[in-house]
Each structure stands twice: as C-alpha cells, then as structure tokens.
Amino acid sequence: MNANNQALQNAGIQLTADLTREQLEILTPEALGFVAELHRSFNGTREELLKVRIERQKRIDAGELPDFLPETLAIRQGDWKITSVPADLQDRRVEITGPSGDRKMVINALNSGAKAFMTDFEDANSPTWDNSIGGQINLRDAIRKSIDFVSPEGKAYKLNEQAAVLIARPRGWHMTEKHMLVDGQEVSASLFDFGLYFYHNARELLARGSGPYFYLPKLESHQEARLWNDVFVQAQRTLGIPQGTVKVTVLIETIMAAFEMDEILYELKDHIAALNCGRWDYIFSYIKKLRKQPHIILPDRSVVTMTVPFMRSYSLLAIQTCHKRGAHCMGGMAAQIPIKNNPEANEEALGKVRADKWREASDGHDGTWVAHPGLVPIALAVFDELMPEANQVSKQLDVTITASDLLTPAAGDITETGLRTNISVGIQYIEAWLRGIGAVPINNLMEDAATAEISRAQVWQWIKHPQGVLSDGRRITVELTRTLIDEELQAIRTKIGESAYESGKFDVASRLFAEMSEAEDFEEFLTLPGYRYL
C-alpha cells in the first residue's frame, strides 16, 4: 500500500477502481478530500429529500395531483429578482450538448460555433468509470486550451481560438458513484461530478474570464434546489472563491419542478442564471409521476411535441417566470440530426428544427439546444433573425397558466408502430449505454437516457392502464409486448448483422427493458438497475 492509499484510508476514503496515471491527476488526495467533505456535509439531506420524493409519489398514486404550493405563495407574489448574470452567459442563443467522456466530441462541440457547450456527465454520458474520469480530464484540458485528439485513421483534432463557453452537467441527486466510498458509503454522484470539476477548474476558469457554470438536472422541489445552493456556498468558502461565483441553469424537466419554478429561482437567486425546458425528461416525468391516474395516458411519443397544450403551457410558464425574475429561459433539445445520402429526408428533418426554434424564439426563449454541430447554423439563423439583442429577458409574457393546463394530457392514438418504436429504441439505447455510449443516433434522432426513459415508461403505462389499447382495438399486454420484443430484436439483428449483434449486449438490454416494462412497481430511473452492469 503506497502512502497516498494509506492517507486516503485514514481519511475514510476508498476507491474501488484501478487507476491510470492520468486518472490520478484528477483523483488527488486533496480533490478527493474536497468531495468527501461535501458528501459528509450534505449526503444526509440528499437521502432525506429522496425519501420525500417517494412520499409525494405515494400521495399522487392515491389521487393527489401536483399543484402550486400554498405555503410559498408569498415567494410567487413577491417582487424580487435573481442576482446578476455573468457577461459570457448573457448571449446563449444556441447551445450544443454532448457527453463529456468522448474527447473528439468535446472538441467538435467546443468548435461548433455554438455560444455554449453543455458538457454532460448525466443523460448523454454512460457513467462508466472511464467516462466519468475521462470527462474530468477532457474538461480540465479544454479549459486550459491543451485538449487535442488523433483518430485511429490519423485525423487530428484541436481547439479553435474561439470556443463555446463550458457548462458542466453533473449527475442527478438520485445517483451514486460506486467507485468512491466515504466512510464505507457510496458517494453522491452529483457531489462527485461537481466536486472534482469545481476543485480542479474554478480558479482557472475565473483567471480566464469565465467561471464555474453548471446545469442542474432532475430537481423535483425547491428544497432540492436549496441543497444545491448550500453545496455552492460551502464549496466556494472552502476554496476561498467569492460567494455567487458559481452560476447554474436548472433544467425544468420534472412535472413537480414545473409547479415550483419561482421557488427554485428564489432558493438559488445568488447562483442562478437561467431555467431550461428539458422537454424529453419532462415527458418522462409526466408519465412517471401521473402513471396511476385513471384519466392520464399519453399517445405515441411522436405525437407529444412542444405544441401540444400541456407542453406549450409549461414552456410559456417557464418564460414568464424567468423573465419576471431577471433570469434567462432556455428552450429545449432538437433531437433531429442531419441525414446523409437522403436530401429529401434531410430537408424534412431540418425543417422540423427550424420550426421548433422559430416557435421558441418567437415565444420569448433566450436560447436553445441542439445535439449536432450541423444544426448550429440553422438554430443561430433563427435566433439571429428574431432576437437581435443578446437575449430577450426584457420580454414579459402576459399569460395565465393553471395547474389544469400543466396536467391535461395530449390527445392522440397509441399505434402498433408507436409501440414497436418504443421497444426498438429503448432496447437499442440501453444496449449502447451498457457499452459505455450515452448519446446514440437511432432512426435519425439523437437519443439519450431521457428519450429511452420515455420509451420504457410508455410501455409500462400502456400495459397497466385501462386505456392501454392500440388504435386497432387490441389490448396492450405483457404477451403482446414480449412478442414484439422478439420481433424487434430480430429486426435489429438483420439490420446490423450477426457479428455485431452477437458482440453487443442485446440480451441484457432486452431483459432489462422487459423487466422494467412488466414490473409491478415502476423503476424510478433505468440508469439505476443499468448501473449495476457498468
């Protein structure tokens, strides 16, 4: 045992993975001690808040619908604003997203011409140990302008002089990092991702005229936002960095958070710059939280667009709430990607992106997301035309959004095609995720964990719900879905070839998908059982 290992054990810290020399540059005793201090200070509260989620779900299952909180009415009616937004976050008209663990993709995203790059440790990143620590290495090097990459074919990638602003997304409060134990307990993945990034880069970012910026995923309450705020206060104090230096954007991607947007902004008002409409996780959350309501069921995923009433209501409420408080409101992800060798299909896909971004800019969003560098110019052109200033925070919406507006489901059919698509996409995504790939192009759409969550959540609800009936009159049953799983697996095998299929992880992926679809109790996140296989 070397001196470092002995020192870590003496400090109650244990790493369960073998480490490379490069990983040791990130996992220093000092950085790990910083993470351990955060964990000891805040993990108890994190666990209590996760229990609160469970209790709220029980009440919803029993018939209590989400609503605006009476106890925080004064905050919603109060005349207050967030503190200032940094100069390099004033213009965020187009942001690109992608996994932090893929070095080439990090370079391409930073060079894409987007204003910011949401670099992901969460839904677009399969949290293998190599991806999680590799992401930290990639971002350390990107911040210091030393990142480069040479492909197996010999193509060299390096950073342009003008690069996008980095915004890191740690994993959600529900995840742990199984490779780091503190006092015998798995560390919070949120604190692990945040702590390592903040410890190594906060001062460097400030010296370069930027700052430690973060996206916060999957919050379900203002209490969870308060916990993040407490983390920021302690982290800044520990490293001697001025309070308010951390700036975050909170993804409103749960139905519960949609009812607490004012309160979330208020809890983070010294550290927040914006909210974001995380549309795919929002649809998943809507299904998950309201799954046992007899009057709520959603049609095919392809029908549930941002123009259906409950999604449009959520988007408009987010813009109204943000601008009232001086915060930016970011639009959501366009999942389409450019289609090679089919000009007609490509133009149709790009047309959908233009229409989506036009709606966002017209409504008042201050920026948007794309998943592919090829979509950056299209989104930029729309926002440049409709938003000549850096943002449109001054645009105040005069709308009234009720609880009913946020809860009334979209109309439409459940079709065999929709059911098959959910099965095929869900299995293909889980299979790639198990191989360490978190952002996967499937059927000309960029899929991540959020879209796969919609797929398996819909199948689960369609099996269980009294209205789970196909448009041709057939009841959606376990037997039917098992038959379609077998058929879709055969279609995948035919498409990709026997060798690729056999070398993949389709057996595990299809078993996980089937188990989650058929289980009596709904699995909160597919990444939780999936993480056991990484």
Side-chain angles (χ1 to χ4, degrees):
M1 180 181 297
N2 63 37
N4 274 352
N5 284 342
Q6 185 63 60
L8 289 177
Q9 285 202 8
N10 291 342
I13 300 169
Q14 180 185 0
L15 296 179
T16 62
D18 295 327
L19 305 180
T20 66
R21 184 173 63 182
E22 197 171 28
Q23 288 173 343
L24 284 168
E25 295 172 4
I26 297 296
L27 299 165
T28 64
E30 296 78 13
L32 293 172
F34 180 76
V35 173
E37 183 180 348
L38 293 176
H39 180 82
R40 290 183 178 120
S41 297
F42 301 111
N43 192 56
T45 304
R46 179 188 77 91
E47 291 180 334
E48 288 301 315
L49 289 172
L50 292 178
K51 291 177 184 175
V52 170
R53 289 185 183 183
I54 295 170
E55 293 305 312
R56 290 179 89 178
Q57 184 65 60
K58 289 178 180 176
R59 296 198 302 273
I60 293 171
D61 289 347
E64 177 188 298
L65 291 175
D67 203 346
F68 299 100
L69 303 177
E71 63 267 30
T72 54
L73 179 63
I75 291 175
R76 292 196 298 279
Q77 293 183 342
D79 184 19
W80 54 269
K81 292 186 181 296
I82 66 166
T83 56
S84 61
V85 175
D88 59 347
L89 291 180
Q90 287 289 338
D91 187 339
R92 299 170 62 177
R93 63 190 60 222
V94 177
E95 296 184 347
I96 192 168
T97 74
S100 60
D102 187 315
R103 197 167 178 90
K104 184 180 81 170
M105 288 181 71
V106 168
I107 296 170
N108 285 343
L110 288 167
N111 289 342
S112 67
K115 296 292 185 179
F117 170 35
M118 193 284 287
T119 179
D120 204 8
F121 290 92
E122 209 230 3
D123 273 0
N125 186 69
S126 173
T128 65
W129 180 246
D130 285 346
N131 280 347
S132 293
I133 307 306
Q136 297 283 351
I137 293 167
N138 292 339
L139 301 188
R140 175 202 64 186
D141 295 348
I143 289 163
R144 290 159 179 81
K145 308 295 185 183
S146 63
I147 190 170
D148 57 15
F149 177 77
V150 178
S151 72
E153 299 75 31
K155 184 176 180 180
Y157 298 80
K158 63 180 182 178
L159 208 59
N160 294 342
E161 188 63 33
Q162 185 67 36
V165 175
L166 266 177
I167 310 177
R169 179 164 70 168
R171 283 169 282 180
W173 282 132
H174 60 288
M175 292 289 288
T176 59
E177 175 49 67
K178 63 185 177 183
H179 297 96
M180 179 179 177
L181 307 181
V182 176
D183 306 327
Q185 184 182 49
E186 290 183 1
V187 74
S188 159
S190 302
L191 299 178
F192 181 84
D193 297 340
F194 163 80
L196 289 177
Y197 181 84
F198 185 82
Y199 182 86
H200 286 292
N201 301 308
R203 292 192 185 95
E204 184 71 25
L205 285 161
L206 288 170
R208 292 175 179 271
S210 189
Y213 305 146
F214 299 90
Y215 262 100
L216 303 182
K218 295 183 174 56
L219 297 189
E220 293 195 13
S221 71
H222 66 283
Q223 290 93 342
E224 294 179 16
R226 182 185 302 159
L227 175 58
W228 268 119
N229 197 73
D230 292 343
V231 170
F232 302 147
V233 169
Q234 177 169 308
Q236 290 165 140
R237 183 172 61 240
T238 299
L239 294 192
I241 288 171
Q243 294 296 326
T245 298
V246 170
K247 292 296 179 183
V248 302
T249 300
V250 171
L251 287 138
I252 303 300
E253 54 184 358
T254 69
I255 184 66
M256 308 309 292
F259 287 92
E260 299 186 37
M261 287 191 274
D262 268 307
E263 293 88 335
I264 288 168
L265 286 166
Y266 185 81
E267 294 292 345
L268 285 159
K269 61 181 180 296
D270 294 331
H271 294 108
I272 198 162
L275 300 180
N276 175 292
C277 289
R279 63 177 69 171
W280 305 117
D281 256 310
Y282 190 81
I283 296 169
F284 164 58
S285 173
Y286 181 94
I287 300 166
K288 176 170 69 171
K289 288 296 177 184
L290 305 174
R291 60 186 182 255
K292 293 191 177 181
Q293 300 301 312
H295 66 292
I296 289 179
I297 188 168
L298 290 183
D300 288 358
R301 167 186 148 185
S302 61
V303 177
V304 188
T305 67
M306 289 303 296
T307 60
V308 301
F310 85 94
M311 294 296 287
R312 182 150 176 77
S313 294
Y314 136 74
S315 173
L316 293 175
L317 180 60
I319 297 167
Q320 181 187 49
T321 304
C322 284
H323 290 181
K324 180 180 179 182
R325 306 305 181 186
H328 297 209
C329 188
M330 301 298 296
M333 170 68 77
Q336 290 82 8
I337 55 178
I339 302 171
K340 297 178 181 178
N341 306 319
N342 190 333
E344 186 176 330
N346 186 60
E347 187 50 44
E348 182 182 350
L350 300 187
K352 290 179 179 178
V353 174
R354 288 189 195 94
D356 184 56
K357 302 315 167 192
W358 192 274
R359 173 192 53 78
E360 289 179 329
S362 300
D363 283 347
H365 280 291
D366 302 286
T368 191
W369 274 14
V370 297
H372 190 283
L375 300 183
V376 171
I378 294 169
L380 272 175
V382 173
F383 272 84
D384 287 347
E385 180 175 351
L386 297 181
M387 191 178 80
E389 304 298 324
N391 56 68
Q392 44 191 346
V393 173
S394 61
K395 183 173 183 175
Q396 302 295 314
L397 298 192
D398 183 16
V399 295
T400 300
I401 305 295
T402 66
S404 177
D405 293 328
L406 295 174
L407 295 174
T408 302
D413 289 334
I414 304 170
T415 68
E416 181 180 325
T417 298
L419 178 55
R420 284 184 179 275
T421 298
N422 278 341
I423 290 169
S424 180
V425 168
I427 290 173
Q428 288 184 74
Y429 179 81
I430 294 170
E431 190 276 335
W433 189 90
L434 292 170
R435 289 187 288 110
I437 303 170
V440 186
I442 303 173
N443 301 334
N444 301 317
L445 298 174
M446 187 63 77
E447 305 283 352
D448 68 5
T451 48
E453 291 280 32
I454 297 172
S455 294
R456 63 96 181 183
Q458 283 202 306
V459 174
W460 185 94
Q461 192 192 35
W462 291 346
I463 291 172
K464 302 287 190 298
H465 201 283
Q467 298 175 40
V469 179
L470 293 176
S471 55
D472 61 15
R474 282 179 293 164
R475 183 83 177 81
I476 301 173
T477 63
V478 168
E479 291 71 28
L480 174 61
T481 56
R482 286 180 180 176
T483 297
L484 296 186
I485 286 172
D486 290 342
E487 292 177 5
E488 290 304 315
L489 282 172
Q490 185 56 49
I492 293 167
R493 184 192 295 264
T494 301
K495 182 177 181 180
I496 69 174
E498 191 70 24
S499 176
Y501 186 92
E502 289 300 327
S503 64
K505 295 182 178 290
F506 289 98
D507 286 347
V508 177
S510 58
R511 186 170 72 248
L512 273 173
F513 187 89
E515 288 172 354
M516 287 187 290
S517 300
E518 297 172 13
E520 187 61 33
D521 295 323
F522 187 86
E523 183 69 57
E524 281 292 293
F525 295 96
L526 68 82
T527 49
L528 293 175
Y531 191 47
R532 295 195 294 266
Y533 293 91
L534 293 186

